[in-house]
Amino acid sequence: MKNRRIKILSVAFVLCMLCGCGQSGQGGESTVSQPVLNENGKEEVQICASVFSTLMQEIIADYNDKSDRYEVVPVEFNRESTFDDQRTRLQLDLTNGGGPDLLADTALCEIDMKPYAENGLLLDVTDFIAEQDDFVRNVAEANQLGETIYGVPYTFSVGTLITSPQMATDIQNWTKDYCMATAEEKEISLFVGAPYGWGKEQSGLYVLNVLGVGRGGIQLFVDEEQGISHFDQPEFIQMLEFAKRYWDANPETSDVKRLATGEQFCTSGTIRNFSEFSYYEKLFEGSPVYMGYPSPQGGVSQLSVNSFYINAASVHKEGAKDFLCYLLSDQVQRKMVSGIGGGFPVKQKLLEDFWKEAQVKVLDNAEGYEIGGVFYAPELMTQEEERSFWALLENSVYYQWTNDIWDIVWDEAQPFFFGEKTAQEVADVIDNRVQLYLDETK
């Protein structure tokens, strides 16, 4: 930002400050009944995230300049303390009726807002979403539990497994079992490349992740209604063994080369903009198969949605909503999706406009560029590619991850990939720990 600064508080400071000034009451009741104005005569609306990007800081500064009633104050996690410690402090303060007014998904254990909603800590924003209108359908439903919506999305991306027609085409039958059987029929040495930063042993866990264990597939092994774990069953053991057989033994090697030689079955892609979508079209020579991730219903792509949630105990709810309206305005949406990391806009009409504008940008930029060893000159997207994109979006869902259970799998499965335990041994340990967790959380 040029010549502009906004103050960013730390969670530790804010929670102490709130407890000291009476924002947090006892028994979940806030002792503050009226908003308090700051020295500028504005209501301060505190917004909490694990970290704020430069772009979001800029947007907040713009909002504060334009608003004569509200001032948004960002609250970041203190980097001197662990993420878990600060999240726990935040949870305790929310439970006691305090805490910041707006919470990013990164503050609420990243993407698991369910326990917060179920305990009445998040405001029902169903009517607010309805008033905004024109949300991309799947995105609007991302933060919904039952008939109630608790989060307001502002950008999104789509994650999917991608391969060539020579490897697989039957997306409708893309279940976990079909996925593994199809991969084993091919002469491959690995299933999917591990993301940047993952080591060899962790890449086995990544295979488990994309097969469904970490992407909504927890229900395959957990009967949440009855509170019973089934991780000791042969089905999970088979997944473990598949993951170790086809893990990424050399995570630093380019997916591009291994896909070209048929060594690798598929790649995992997160599509945040039309340039990335065009890249996969080029990588697979105009015939990519967007399989989604395996599920009992067939291949399903995953929506990653950036959202904010309003603290149900906040006395600045109207200020929080005012900032969210600003965030959803066409002007700010355009600014956000064009920034680094970006994402797609959450409004349907604006998304359609961006598709058309992406075509125009192609005509204006003939130089081309290189990603992962693949050079391509921008080309106008065909009608087939357009249909492929909208079909990918239509076939995308937002999974509510059960983070605590996936964390157990992550911790206990690693000895199997290190060769220290058998698949059956780690499955038994995971099953016991998950069962204890289910018993404790009934």
Side-chain angles (χ1 to χ4, degrees):
M1 295 181 295
K2 295 182 179 179
N3 303 321
R4 307 182 68 191
R5 296 181 63 86
I6 56 174
K7 60 180 179 180
I8 301 180
L9 306 180
S10 74
V11 165
F13 172 76
V14 168
L15 298 189
C16 290
M17 179 181 69
L18 293 179
C19 291
C21 73
Q23 176 89 5
S24 294
Q26 299 297 319
E29 293 183 3
S30 174
T31 57
V32 178
S33 58
Q34 295 295 327
V36 178
L37 304 183
N38 64 14
E39 66 273 14
N40 298 322
K42 296 182 179 182
E43 288 184 34
E44 284 196 354
V45 179
Q46 291 178 346
I47 176 172
C48 179
S50 59
V51 66
F52 288 91
S53 66
T54 301
L55 178 60
M56 182 59 76
Q57 292 180 46
E58 199 171 287
I59 289 169
I60 290 173
D62 287 341
Y63 172 82
N64 290 341
D65 286 345
K66 293 174 181 177
S67 176
D68 58 3
R69 183 173 179 183
Y70 304 108
E71 185 168 327
V72 170
V73 179
V75 181
E76 278 189 354
F77 279 7
N78 186 337
R79 297 177 186 177
E80 296 179 1
S81 300
T82 68
F83 180 92
D84 287 342
D85 286 345
Q86 291 180 88
R87 190 183 68 204
T88 299
R89 283 193 74 170
L90 181 61
Q91 290 171 341
L92 287 172
D93 204 64
L94 290 171
T95 302
N96 288 326
D101 307 289
L102 270 171
L103 302 117
D105 38 26
T106 54
L108 300 184
C109 195
E110 297 193 350
I111 50 179
D112 191 2
M113 59 91 179
K114 184 177 179 181
Y116 298 88
E118 290 179 338
N119 286 288
L121 303 179
L122 304 180
L123 187 69
D124 177 350
V125 293
T126 308
D127 291 341
F128 177 84
I129 293 290
E131 290 168 2
Q132 295 300 310
D133 200 16
D134 196 36
F135 270 96
V136 176
R137 180 185 60 80
N138 308 37
V139 175
E141 298 168 355
N143 299 304
Q144 185 169 332
L145 290 176
E147 299 299 318
T148 306
I149 299 175
Y150 292 97
V152 179
Y154 56 93
T155 59
F156 76 95
S157 58
V158 181
T160 178
L161 296 180
I162 312 167
T163 192
S164 66
Q166 291 74 35
M167 287 292 184
T169 55
D170 194 357
I171 301 173
Q172 299 305 315
N173 290 324
W174 198 242
T175 61
K176 169 184 60 63
D177 292 337
Y178 180 81
C179 168
M180 292 192 294
T182 303
E184 287 177 335
E185 289 175 1
K186 311 296 179 180
E187 294 182 1
I188 60 170
S189 58
L190 72 155
F191 178 69
V192 62
Y196 177 78
W198 290 55
K200 175 181 174 181
E201 288 76 17
Q202 292 175 329
S203 75
L205 291 164
Y206 186 67
V207 176
L208 280 183
N209 187 318
V210 299
L211 286 177
V213 178
R215 296 180 181 272
I218 290 291
Q219 69 268 21
L220 292 172
F221 307 104
V222 175
D223 185 338
E224 290 188 294
E225 194 171 312
Q226 299 296 322
I228 301 174
S229 171
H230 299 291
F231 275 99
D232 60 346
Q233 298 301 305
E235 187 177 7
F236 181 62
I237 295 170
Q238 180 189 20
M239 291 177 70
L240 281 169
E241 292 172 342
F242 177 90
K244 188 172 183 179
R245 189 157 60 250
Y246 293 109
W247 67 359
D248 189 349
N250 189 3
E252 301 303 318
T253 303
S254 167
D255 277 8
V256 174
K257 295 179 181 177
R258 298 186 300 199
L259 289 164
T261 61
E263 177 187 357
Q264 181 172 320
F265 184 75
C266 62
T267 187
S268 179
T270 298
I271 301 172
R272 303 176 184 86
N273 53 57
F274 293 117
S275 293
E276 290 177 344
F277 178 75
S278 181
Y279 164 72
Y280 289 113
E281 293 289 325
K282 189 73 174 181
L283 176 61
F284 290 97
E285 298 179 346
S287 301
V289 179
Y290 300 99
M291 301 179 296
Y293 296 100
S295 81
Q297 295 76 41
V300 179
S301 298
Q302 180 176 318
L303 286 175
S304 294
V305 180
N306 295 313
S307 303
F308 281 118
Y309 306 87
I310 300 177
N311 182 351
S314 169
V315 295
H316 304 288
K317 294 185 183 71
E318 294 308 311
K321 290 179 182 178
D322 191 71
F323 175 71
L324 291 175
C325 285
Y326 179 75
L327 204 59
L328 294 171
S329 66
D330 283 5
Q331 176 187 358
V332 177
Q333 283 276 287
R334 286 179 175 277
K335 186 172 186 176
M336 294 202 73
V337 301
S338 61
I340 296 175
F344 290 110
V346 295
K347 297 295 189 72
Q348 181 69 34
K349 178 61 168 60
L350 195 55
L351 182 60
E352 292 170 1
D353 289 346
F354 263 76
W355 175 272
K356 296 172 185 175
E357 291 168 15
Q359 300 287 69
V360 174
K361 288 180 181 178
V362 165
L363 296 176
D364 293 339
N365 177 20
E367 294 182 3
Y369 47 96
E370 180 179 324
I371 305 179
V374 173
F375 177 86
Y376 67 99
E379 299 173 358
L380 290 175
M381 286 177 269
T382 65
Q383 289 185 337
E384 181 59 34
E385 289 171 349
E386 182 174 3
R387 284 192 293 269
S388 182
F389 172 77
W390 294 113
L392 173 67
L393 183 56
E394 181 65 25
N395 194 40
S396 300
V397 299
Y398 179 80
Y399 284 127
Q400 286 294 336
W401 288 30
T402 308
N403 283 327
D404 292 336
I405 294 179
W406 171 244
D407 287 345
I408 293 171
V409 175
W410 176 276
D411 291 340
E412 301 298 346
Q414 292 198 55
F416 169 65
F417 295 104
F418 279 107
E420 297 170 357
K421 290 184 179 181
T422 67
Q424 183 67 64
E425 286 172 335
V426 299
D428 288 340
V429 173
I430 291 170
D431 187 63
N432 287 333
R433 279 194 60 188
V434 171
Q435 189 60 59
L436 285 172
Y437 169 82
L438 294 172
D439 292 342
E440 292 170 357
T441 54
K442 279 184 179 177

